[in-house]
Amino acid sequence: MIIIKSDTDIAAMRPACKLAAQTLDMIESYIQAGITTDEINTLVHDFTIAHGGIPAPLNYRGFPKSVCTSVNHVVCHGIPSSKTLKNGDIINVDVTTIMNGWHGDTSKTFFVGDVNPRARKVTETAQTALILGIEKAKPGNTFGDIGHAIQSFVEAQGMSVVREYCGHGIGKGFHEDPQVMHYGKEGQGTMIKKGMVFTIEPMVNYGKAGVKLLGDHWTVVTRDKSLSAQFEHTIAITANGAEILTCST
């Protein structure tokens, strides 16, 4: 069941969403060769707590860290570790923050130093795909319209959209209905209505769409070891379109 949020509910979500976005802004200057993903985790954790938030991933269904860090061919849910970032890497940092019982969820893929053309292309494609998806998120459209906009753009670039993982409703719950697929057909699926709040978070692979789950039961990688990039916003549906809640200003 999709929970329709009131204007009061959406206002209550804004602090969590803003803090999540500010956390991504904070971490950007630290994304350099030589830092470990564990150090990124500590920075995110400490910043979140210092600003009155709770890092939602920590202990969520057993996840052991406060943020997801997904490097190169890791698609999503990478667990921070002693892994050191190298020049030319790309890394997705996925932040979810709780404030006053409400969640805000956002992610961004960063360049580590100088990246090659493939890394740049997959990252820029994922970022544009998110924007195109958000543009379709308005009353009267369907979730299939969002998925189609993302899929058709990504595939036109010669890349692929991950199908096993998707966006989701969000609010008091970390993951609520609906599931927001990043592929689909125009006009199909549930109708989008004012008051819906959900994430759009396309995962774009430079190669084929296939993924596999590693033995830690969290880390998802591309089957063909191709690079993968992702961007994510939490949005609220208004009478006229979508408001991006995960903005830092």
Side-chain angles (χ1 to χ4, degrees):
M1 184 182 72
I2 300 174
I3 301 169
I4 300 297
K5 273 75 173 180
S6 67
D7 291 345
T8 301
D9 292 336
I10 292 169
M13 289 188 68
R14 287 195 179 99
C17 290
K18 183 176 181 179
L19 180 55
Q22 290 172 333
T23 305
L24 278 185
D25 286 352
M26 175 276 298
I27 207 67
E28 184 161 15
S29 64
Y30 293 95
I31 304 295
Q32 298 179 12
I35 195 171
T36 68
T37 53
D38 241 345
E39 289 170 330
I40 293 171
N41 179 77
T42 298
L43 288 163
V44 168
H45 180 93
D46 291 350
F47 185 86
T48 302
I49 298 298
H51 289 81
I54 299 169
L58 185 60
N59 299 320
Y60 177 77
R61 297 183 179 175
F63 191 80
K65 298 289 183 172
S66 295
V67 68
C68 296
T69 51
S70 302
V71 181
N72 294 335
H73 72 290
V74 178
V75 175
C76 60
H77 305 158
I79 301 173
S81 68
S82 59
K83 179 180 177 64
T84 300
L85 297 185
K86 304 185 302 295
N87 184 65
D89 286 344
I90 58 173
I91 177 173
N92 177 269
V93 179
D94 191 344
V95 173
T96 309
T97 305
I98 306 170
M99 291 189 80
N100 301 315
W102 295 93
H103 292 71
D105 192 1
T106 186
S107 83
K108 180 177 180 179
T109 297
F110 298 94
F111 298 141
V112 182
D114 299 316
V115 301
N116 65 36
R118 287 189 175 193
R120 185 171 298 276
K121 183 176 181 182
V122 71
T123 302
E124 292 175 348
T125 298
Q127 187 170 29
T128 300
L130 172 60
I131 294 167
L132 293 173
I134 292 172
E135 287 175 353
K136 293 295 184 181
K138 55 187 177 182
N141 279 359
T142 69
F143 283 96
D145 293 328
I146 295 174
H148 179 266
I150 292 168
Q151 179 187 5
S152 59
F153 171 73
V154 169
E155 292 179 353
Q157 312 309 308
M159 285 173 267
S160 58
V161 176
V162 172
R163 298 193 174 215
E164 288 86 346
Y165 299 89
C166 59
H168 52 89
I170 188 168
K172 289 282 181 105
F174 192 162
H175 295 94
E176 300 178 351
D177 288 335
Q179 291 190 328
V180 183
M181 302 300 177
H182 304 117
Y183 61 94
K185 295 183 178 180
E186 289 179 304
Q188 292 192 355
T190 302
M191 191 76 71
I192 298 168
K193 296 180 180 179
K194 181 180 182 295
M196 290 181 175
V197 180
F198 52 86
T199 71
I200 303 177
E201 46 184 296
M203 287 145 271
V204 176
N205 295 349
Y206 192 89
K208 295 180 180 179
V211 301
K212 65 179 179 180
L213 181 65
L214 298 187
D216 60 21
H217 304 297
W218 282 106
T219 307
V220 179
V221 300
T222 56
R223 283 192 173 276
D224 60 8
K225 301 292 181 69
S226 65
L227 293 171
S228 187
Q230 179 187 23
F231 287 80
E232 173 184 16
H233 274 307
T234 298
I235 64 171
I237 302 303
T238 69
N240 301 312
E243 176 190 351
I244 298 174
L245 298 180
T246 40
C247 289
S248 56
T249 55

